[in-house]
């Protein structure tokens, strides 16, 4: 199978790593890719958000399957264009990707499908915002309705901070709206489901660490680390999410004539009152993908192709390693705000000499002298694998210790205290 993978983050490096090692893959092109994917696939430059450019590239390379990593190309309609060119694509059309692109739309689908989620008000004016904040009380949860790379959500006890964020969202443009919702307590879980428009196949659950600093302090980020499996999760968690969340959502989208083909990312809270959806995404999560794929033993190419071609019913049951995986994200100085670029990164090879460690690139570049430098917010994802979470965590942090990047930030408590 000739595969074209779109994107350039650590998630795409993780996908590329699994696809490149897969006997079902005959050739792998990553567009635009990053210095990490260049080592295991052919990088081709492309405007990933241009439907015409990606469809033309898919035709040019005679791709059997196009896999779209990030949300922006999906929302821009890249999958629609590739599908219209007659090429199998793993990734929803723009209409179905609105599930991620608009939190208000996601709430509407969940209400129609009976999916448990936080109560919410969609507000377009500040008087509605103040009424909703007062109705729910603190802690306040204020969400930008549009795409914001995981940074559009503010959870705060401070009413003024909530009001300021809401004002920034509703005043952005005339049609902008903000979602105010009830606070959900309890641990968070990410469960990825392959969807073929009708059916879903769950992957292994993972947990992400969204806040910048240890102890879940600091601002929300795209994700600073993750682990899988979740030894503390209820045994029937995955089947409950499939039955109560993923299948009803996929069926509702199909009923509306916008079938969801791709990765349905269910972001969940296990609250004291039961399971609730925090958010949906229309693509693999980053950094959870790095740990989920590290544990996948079946052919990823075959699974993605089955979803893309409406044949998940023919896919053999997926096999998972009994061991654990932990990833720690190294972010550049300044992240999640304005980041410093150009600092030299050393020690990646030394880290990978450790058994059980691999390093995935995100915001990296090669400078004119050939040195690896920081070129984005989240720079590297260091993955450790081991027999249990403690072993995987020790391995990941041993890898982190070998990497040098001036001003780099990372959490020291990813997967801490979980055991096996
Ligand atoms: P989202 O972009 O909707 O995933 O939100 C980002 C993060 O904000 C989530 O992973 C949660 O940690 C937090 N969050 C979002 N919604 C809520 C909520 N209703 N209650 C508590 N925390 C939330
Ligand atoms: N790790 C959170 C996300 O991918 O949205």
């Amino acid at each position: 199978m000739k595969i074209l993978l779109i994107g350039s983050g650590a998630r795409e490096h993780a996908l590329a790593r699994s696809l490149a090692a897969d006997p079902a893959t005959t050739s792998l092109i990553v567009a635009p890719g990053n210095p990490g994917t260049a080592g295991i696939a052919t990088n081709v430059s492309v405007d990933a958000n241009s439907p015409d450019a990606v469809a033309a590239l898919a035709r040019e390379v005679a791709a059997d399957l196009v896999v779209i990593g990030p949300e922006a190309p999906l929302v821009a309609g890249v999958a629609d264009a590739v599908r219209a060119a007659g090429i199998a694509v793993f990734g929803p059309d723009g209409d179905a990707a609105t599930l991620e692109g608009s939190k208000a739309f996601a709430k509407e689908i969940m209400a129609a499908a009976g999916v448990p989620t936080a109560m919410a008000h969609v507000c377009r004016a500040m008087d509605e915002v103040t009424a909703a904040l007062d109705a729910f009380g603190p802690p306040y949860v204020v969400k930008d309705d549009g795409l914001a790379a995981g940074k559009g959500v503010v959870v705060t006890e401070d009413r003024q901070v909530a009001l300021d964020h809401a004002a920034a969202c509703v005043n952005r443009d005339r049609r902008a709206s903000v979602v105010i919702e009830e606070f959900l307590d309890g641990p968070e879980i990410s469960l990825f489901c392959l969807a073929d428009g009708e059916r879903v196949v769950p992957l292994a659950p993972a947990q992400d660490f969204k806040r910048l600093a240890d102890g879940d302090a600091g601002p929300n980020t795209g994700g600073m680390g993750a682990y899988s499996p979740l030894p503390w999760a209820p045994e029937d968690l995955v089947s409950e999410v499939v039955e109560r969340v993923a299948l009803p959502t996929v069926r509702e989208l199909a009923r509306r004539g916008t079938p969801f083909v791709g990765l349905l990312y269910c972001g969940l809270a296990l609250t004291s009152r039961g399971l609730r959806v925090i958010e949906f995404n229309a693509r693999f999560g980053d950094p959870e993908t790095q740990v989920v794929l590290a544990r996948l033993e079946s052919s990823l190419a075959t699974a993605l192709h089955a979803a893309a071609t409406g044949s998940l019913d023919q896919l053999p049951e997926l096999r998972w390693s009994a061991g654990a995986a932990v990833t720690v994200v190294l972010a550049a100085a300044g992240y999640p705000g304005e980041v410093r670029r150009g600092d030299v990164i050393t020690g990646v090879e030394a880290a990978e000499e450790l058994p059980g460690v691999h390093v995935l690139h995100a915001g990296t570049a090669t400078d004119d002298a050939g040195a690896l430098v920081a070129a984005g917010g989240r720079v590297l994802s260091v993955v450790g694998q081991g027999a249990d979470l403690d072993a995987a965590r020790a391995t990941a942090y041993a890898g982190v210790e070998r990497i040098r990047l001036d001003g780099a930030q990372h959490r020291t408590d990813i997967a801490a205290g979980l055991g096996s």
Side-chain angles (χ1 to χ4, degrees), residues 224-393:
M224 293 300 290
Y227 67 92
S228 175
L230 311 180
W232 47 267
E235 218 169 290
D236 60 353
L237 171 82
V238 171
S239 55
E240 187 182 356
V241 178
V242 167
E243 294 305 323
R244 294 185 63 203
V245 176
L247 265 181
T249 301
V250 163
R251 288 191 182 130
E252 176 62 21
L253 286 166
R255 197 186 64 75
R256 293 178 181 224
T258 52
F260 190 100
V261 175
L263 200 287
L264 179 63
Y265 168 134
C266 304
L268 308 148
L270 278 188
T271 77
S272 46
R273 287 175 297 135
L275 185 72
R276 298 281 186 282
V277 172
I278 293 185
E279 64 163 346
F280 284 127
N281 291 316
R283 37 93 194 156
F284 280 97
D286 187 344
E288 298 97 311
T289 301
Q290 289 86 305
V291 289
V292 171
L293 294 186
R295 297 186 53 229
L296 179 65
E297 290 177 344
S298 307
S299 162
L300 178 65
T302 306
L304 300 185
H305 189 261
T309 55
S311 49
L312 278 179
D313 52 337
Q314 326 250 315
L315 184 70
E317 191 166 343
L318 297 176
R319 284 175 288 104
W320 299 93
S321 94
V326 172
T327 191
V328 179
V329 170
L330 289 185
Y335 181 75
E338 188 68 32
V339 299
R340 205 168 77 201
R341 288 161 205 270
D343 290 305
V344 173
I345 304 161
T346 58
V348 171
E349 284 172 16
E352 290 196 314
E353 281 168 10
L354 292 167
V357 174
H358 64 272
V359 180
L360 300 167
H361 291 236
T364 67
T366 312
D367 73 6
D368 294 343
L372 190 67
V373 296
R378 291 187 291 174
V379 178
L380 296 170
S381 227
V382 181
V383 183
Q385 288 178 259
D388 59 27
L389 283 167
D390 276 349
R393 167 182 154 76

Side-chain angles (χ1 to χ4, degrees), residues 103 141 143 153 155 181-184 188 210 220 278-279:
K103 292 186 187 291
V141 181
K143 301 186 171 189
V153 177
V155 181
E181 67 180 38
E182 86 181 294
F183 177 78
L184 299 175
E188 287 182 38
K210 293 238 166 72
N220 263 325
I278 293 185
E279 64 163 346

